[in-house]
Amino acid sequence: MLKRISSEKLPQAVGSYSPATEVGNLIFTSGQLPINGKTNKIDFPDSIEEQTKQSMDNVKYILEDNKSSLENIVKTTVYLKNIKDFASFDQVYKSYFTGSFPSRTAFEVGDLPMGALIEIEVVAQKIG
Ligand SMILES: C=C(N)C(=O)O
């Protein structure tokens, strides 16, 4: 049975989607835009580093509020507005992991909602 899940720390969805869906022992997040849940906006429109932090924090909130964690990510998909941001994004991204890294695909897209520079989605395993 599937269940729609969320976190109180997330921003409002910008469209017709649930923040995440749980099925069995897996969590599938929607793409997390770099929107701050306190301000409901992209606080740093020109900074890939800050936007990576916010998208990763939003992923983290979903997982940690639903019996999972960043360490339990199976696969990450990263959408970048500009592939030239890859190295800067990756520097911030790797700081969120202490052991091994999840599988990942990263690629450039034409555009993202709200003028974002990045959007990150994950599939993660639940703990216990
Ligand atoms: C922001 C999204 N994840 C969406 O619009 O699908």
Side-chain angles (χ1 to χ4, degrees):
M1 197 167 78
L2 63 81
K3 187 175 151 195
R4 309 296 179 202
I5 58 175
S6 188
S7 162
E8 287 185 356
K9 301 181 201 90
L10 288 184
Q12 288 181 339
V14 301
S16 309
Y17 58 91
S18 298
T21 297
E22 185 183 301
V23 60
N25 70 338
L26 292 177
I27 292 172
F28 297 78
T29 76
S30 292
Q32 296 304 307
L33 292 165
I35 301 174
N36 182 334
K38 292 191 181 123
T39 61
N40 264 303
K41 64 183 188 69
I42 296 175
D43 290 338
F44 300 95
D46 301 320
S47 169
I48 186 63
E49 292 87 355
E50 292 295 335
Q51 291 198 23
T52 302
K53 273 188 212 164
Q54 186 66 65
S55 286
M56 286 301 289
D57 285 347
N58 291 347
V59 167
K60 191 172 158 188
Y61 298 147
I62 295 171
L63 299 183
E64 292 186 351
D65 286 356
N66 292 282
K67 299 188 176 151
S68 186
S69 73
L70 294 174
E71 301 305 319
N72 289 282
I73 294 174
V74 177
K75 173 79 196 281
T76 306
T77 306
V78 181
Y79 306 89
L80 291 164
K81 166 84 179 127
N82 190 336
I83 202 64
K84 291 191 178 127
D85 286 338
F86 180 82
S88 304
F89 137 73
D90 197 51
Q91 274 297 116
V92 176
Y93 175 85
K94 75 180 181 190
S95 72
Y96 279 78
F97 300 94
T98 50
S100 58
F101 300 113
S103 303
R104 189 182 82 191
T105 303
F107 53 94
E108 180 180 288
V109 294
D111 223 336
L112 288 164
M114 312 283 288
L117 301 177
I118 191 166
E119 183 171 337
I120 301 176
E121 68 186 37
V122 307
V123 179
Q125 206 168 23
K126 284 186 68 175
I127 306 161

